[in-house]
Amino acid sequence: MHLPHQRGPLHDLPDTPEAYDAVLADVVEQALRRITPEGNLEHPDCDDDIGDTSLGITSLLALAWQRGKDPRLPEAVRRSLAFHLRERVYTEDNPGYPNLRLRDSRLPYARYVLEPGAHPIGDWPSTVWALLQLVNVLELADGLLDDEERRDLALLGHGYWRWLTEVTFFNPQEAGNQAIGCVVGGLMLARHLPQQAAAVRARALRLYTDEIRAHRVRDRGALLPPEHGGAYDNNYGPISLSFLAQAHRVSGEEVFAEDGDTLARYIDARLTGGGFDNGGPRYSEQHSAFESVLGLRYFGQRIGADLGRYRGDSRWARYAVKPDGGVDGHFAWMLVWQIQDDSRWQRTPSTRIVRHQLRSGTVSVAFDDRMTPAIVEAGGAYCLPAAVGRQHGFGPVTDGFLLCRPMGEVRVRDLRAGDLTAKLVTKPVVGRDHVLRYVRSLYVTDGAALWTTVAVERLDGTPYLLAGLPYAEDDGDRVRRTSQVAVASAGPLRLTHPDGRGPDRFDARSELTQEQAAFALAADPRGYGNPDEGWSHLVASTALEAGPVPDAPDDLHVFAVRYGTSDPLTVRVERNPEGITVRTARFTAVLGPDDAHGEPELILLPA
């Protein structure tokens, strides 16, 4: 089975002016067939995320008219705009909406669901989206609307803005993408409110500083806008990056560039070379598509990284669609902005050394905050951290206890030698016996395979290396579930599957995605729960388990695994005055003593 949401890299989509004109031409023909006598451009099956959708199609028609002057479009724009103003602007409080600070304000807002009291929690982001669609129509109104119509539309936008920032609590869902989107709406709206421009712009910048930036969450060394209560979400995080790109484009404020650069470098570090990623407090594997293009392209160019390798959902490659493939106006502003933006994809990987990533050729390791691999990629396959006894990660296991959680500072040494790239991670860890040990994990790649060598002071019992959960592999422009990967070990190697059944045991042979399994363990319903928190309750999983290297020094247990090929692996380990020497057919590495600052020394010699 294929993963449903992660498909081809976003930079594979043509982004020339001719390609975008073809996209708009498609939207135009669908819209002109769909528009009702009342001017409604919503998809017939639309029932949620609806408050902005007709207006979103209107903005795309306005952009198409500005680029091609199709004589059929001015009438469609005016009719559809009239429909929105007449049928989709609400001024009476939605029954049950819990986030009001002021009742009966009579200020306008948009609804997530049209029926009164039906899922009102979504009204705040729906109003942000309606504001963004509206400001795009205003920006594209030349020759389509007269001065009075533009003035009325700007006043409606000001009403939306006041409802979002005065009548309700700001960012009630703690969703960074929604909050930054609201700030963008205010910055763009200010250009169309001569009397209130300075106040609206100042308020937008203050909200960003006080309500978003001040609440950033640290992960993997970076301060990030919080997303639904977490540091980053692999669906919404790149959408936040697009909002930061637009905020910088329209305001020129350096803070948006700085924070966008930080988020972009973080994404580059956690993203595999093949573009696969998973994790987040809302959607563990669902990926955005056209909504992410602006940010990934804009900041990829700024930081010099190939962020377009991010695998998007090709069903939403150009715009939001319903199951029948018909265009939906939801999030249409992102298509408008990416068409207007003239940045181009950076297609060459960054060469800078990054603490939380090792990447070369078709091999990559993304490390989590504790410098434990979060995803290992080699040979077109992806391994996730395995689980044993409710403990998750990669590392030595003795008597059921996984030694990967640091008890002190984690040291990292990076090195390049010839065509080899290496990272040495040294962690102080404490086992159940309360003895402090140092786990030294060496990762070496030539761009085609990954060698992992883990050394630790002698352990009791029959230890093994928990070496990952085989999970997915590339299959053309799709990602396919798998339960096996090409791997070899210098010691005994086995692939185990959890005993028993139940949602807290993940068997990679089943037709179940990590996202589905994670939501099944989450405390709240799908779409509202935290799948990462749910996944943390996993008791056991399919796992690669590698035994120790034979003939290692008596005071050490050493494990050696190579990912990307199943050819036999031979590793020799020696202890000498220079440190621990690891010899393979491809390289010799010396894990030396700590230097004067306590940092581990590493020597790497290609064979």
Side-chain angles (χ1 to χ4, degrees):
M1 59 176 287
H2 288 107
L3 300 185
H5 303 289
Q6 300 208 36
R7 304 192 181 205
L10 290 178
H11 63 205
D12 286 352
L13 292 168
D15 61 349
T16 62
E18 295 77 16
Y20 284 132
D21 283 336
V23 172
L24 290 175
D26 170 42
V27 172
V28 166
E29 296 308 320
Q30 288 194 53
L32 293 180
R33 289 195 303 269
R34 176 187 301 169
I35 192 167
T36 67
E38 297 80 18
N40 187 353
L41 286 170
E42 294 160 2
H43 191 284
D45 294 337
C46 192
D47 54 11
D48 59 15
D49 269 323
I50 196 170
D52 69 299
T53 60
S54 182
L55 191 57
I57 300 292
T58 303
S59 71
L60 293 174
L61 297 184
L63 178 60
W65 188 81
Q66 295 295 352
R67 291 169 70 90
K69 296 298 187 289
D70 185 331
R72 301 174 296 171
L73 296 183
E75 171 64 14
V77 167
R78 284 190 287 268
R79 283 172 55 201
S80 60
L81 184 57
F83 167 80
H84 179 82
L85 297 174
R86 185 178 64 249
E87 302 289 343
R88 295 296 180 260
V89 177
Y90 294 84
T91 56
E92 294 182 359
D93 294 349
N94 198 351
Y97 184 68
N99 298 315
L100 291 176
R101 299 169 61 193
L102 177 65
R103 296 198 175 276
D104 301 319
S105 69
R106 308 298 297 177
L107 286 173
Y109 67 95
R111 285 186 177 174
Y112 177 77
V113 174
L114 299 182
E115 180 184 351
H119 203 78
I121 195 71
D123 289 355
W124 200 86
S126 288
T127 304
V128 174
W129 310 154
L131 173 61
L132 293 171
Q133 313 285 25
L134 181 150
V135 292
N136 275 339
V137 173
L138 276 173
E139 304 253 318
L140 297 164
D142 286 346
L144 293 171
L145 303 179
D146 61 30
D147 289 345
E148 184 176 356
E149 289 170 325
R150 296 174 74 161
R151 185 166 53 251
D152 290 345
L153 199 59
L155 290 176
L156 172 61
H158 194 212
Y160 283 153
W161 173 252
R162 292 188 59 200
W163 188 87
L164 291 164
T165 61
E166 298 174 21
V167 174
T168 69
F169 289 95
F170 183 80
N171 190 22
Q173 294 185 20
E174 297 182 346
N177 76 98
Q178 299 173 9
I180 304 171
C182 183
V183 168
V184 171
L187 293 172
M188 295 182 70
L189 177 68
R191 303 190 292 198
H192 303 278
L193 296 172
Q195 302 300 318
Q196 299 92 1
V200 171
R201 179 184 170 93
R203 174 72 166 150
L205 294 175
R206 190 164 60 250
L207 284 169
Y208 183 74
T209 300
D210 297 345
E211 301 295 335
I212 302 172
R213 200 166 199 265
H215 297 280
R216 288 176 298 170
V217 180
R218 185 177 295 278
D219 185 45
R220 308 186 195 192
L223 284 172
L224 309 170
E227 187 54 63
H228 288 286
Y232 177 83
D233 185 284
N234 71 339
N235 179 35
Y236 290 120
I239 296 176
S240 284
L241 192 65
S242 286
F243 282 129
L244 287 170
Q246 183 66 2
H248 186 240
R249 290 181 69 235
V250 301
S251 74
E253 293 288 339
E254 192 60 25
V255 66
F256 298 119
E258 293 173 0
D259 292 353
D261 288 349
T262 297
L263 177 53
R265 290 192 179 100
Y266 171 88
I267 293 173
D268 187 40
R270 71 172 289 144
L271 193 61
T272 61
F276 173 79
D277 188 19
N278 77 312
R282 188 70 178 268
Y283 290 114
S284 189
E285 286 184 322
Q286 287 194 38
H287 269 39
S288 50
F290 80 98
E291 316 101 293
S292 303
V293 167
L294 174 65
L296 295 170
R297 192 175 65 191
Y298 188 85
F299 283 106
Q301 189 179 78
R302 277 184 56 92
I303 69 169
D306 58 333
L307 298 184
R309 69 187 190 274
Y310 179 94
R311 288 183 180 268
D313 190 335
S314 59
R315 295 168 300 180
W316 279 38
R318 298 300 195 178
Y319 44 69
V321 299
K322 289 299 182 184
D324 66 357
V327 62
D328 180 0
H330 187 49
F331 266 55
W333 63 85
M334 287 294 193
L335 178 57
V336 173
W337 299 341
Q338 67 166 278
I339 291 175
Q340 293 172 332
D341 175 51
D342 60 4
S343 60
R344 288 293 171 260
W345 288 114
Q346 164 76 23
R347 298 181 181 275
T348 305
S350 171
T351 58
R352 61 192 290 266
I353 292 175
V354 178
R355 179 181 173 89
H356 293 92
Q357 184 193 58
L358 176 70
R359 183 185 175 198
S360 176
T362 58
V363 171
S364 66
V365 184
F367 295 88
D368 66 15
D369 216 31
R370 303 179 302 184
M371 288 305 298
T372 297
I375 304 177
V376 170
E377 173 196 23
Y382 305 95
C383 287
L384 303 179
V388 56
R390 211 182 294 276
Q391 304 161 94
H392 299 208
F394 291 74
V397 177
T398 177
D399 294 328
F401 190 85
L402 173 60
L403 296 169
C404 75
R405 293 170 298 281
M407 182 64 69
E409 191 66 25
V410 179
R411 309 292 184 128
V412 178
R413 175 62 59 92
D414 288 277
L415 191 63
R416 288 171 177 159
D419 64 343
L420 299 176
T421 305
K423 187 182 293 285
L424 174 62
V425 177
T426 304
K427 291 183 185 182
V429 299
V430 174
R432 285 202 175 101
D433 57 6
H434 289 207
V435 174
L436 181 69
R437 295 178 172 86
Y438 283 86
V439 175
R440 282 162 282 195
S441 302
L442 174 66
Y443 306 87
V444 180
T445 179
D446 60 0
L450 172 71
W451 288 261
T452 300
T453 306
V454 178
V456 63
E457 289 87 352
R458 196 78 182 177
L459 300 167
D460 296 331
T462 309
Y464 63 89
L465 180 73
L466 193 66
L469 158 64
Y471 181 67
E473 60 186 354
D474 293 336
D475 183 21
D477 63 351
R478 298 293 300 275
V479 179
R480 183 173 60 190
R481 281 278 287 104
T482 189
S483 60
Q484 299 184 24
V485 296
V487 63
S489 171
L493 178 68
R494 58 188 178 268
L495 178 65
T496 66
H497 304 287
D499 296 330
R501 294 173 178 256
D504 58 357
R505 287 161 171 79
F506 186 84
D507 191 327
R509 297 170 297 181
S510 65
E511 291 196 0
L512 189 68
T513 67
Q514 189 268 350
E515 177 188 358
Q516 292 169 324
F519 266 120
L521 292 168
D524 295 308
R526 183 180 179 85
Y528 304 95
N530 183 338
D532 279 3
E533 183 181 0
W535 187 253
S536 71
H537 298 307
L538 193 71
V539 172
S541 73
T542 293
L544 290 164
E545 298 177 355
V549 173
D551 301 323
D554 292 341
D555 60 339
L556 293 176
H557 268 120
V558 180
F559 310 88
V561 174
R562 185 187 59 225
Y563 302 86
T565 173
S566 55
D567 294 341
L569 173 63
T570 300
V571 176
R572 290 172 48 207
V573 182
E574 304 166 354
R575 186 188 281 282
N576 45 49
E578 290 75 29
I580 300 170
T581 300
V582 178
R583 301 183 191 277
T584 74
R586 191 67 179 82
F587 62 86
T588 296
V590 180
L591 285 57
D594 295 346
D595 66 14
H597 302 286
E599 299 296 333
E601 294 186 352
L602 175 63
I603 298 172
L604 183 64
L605 303 171

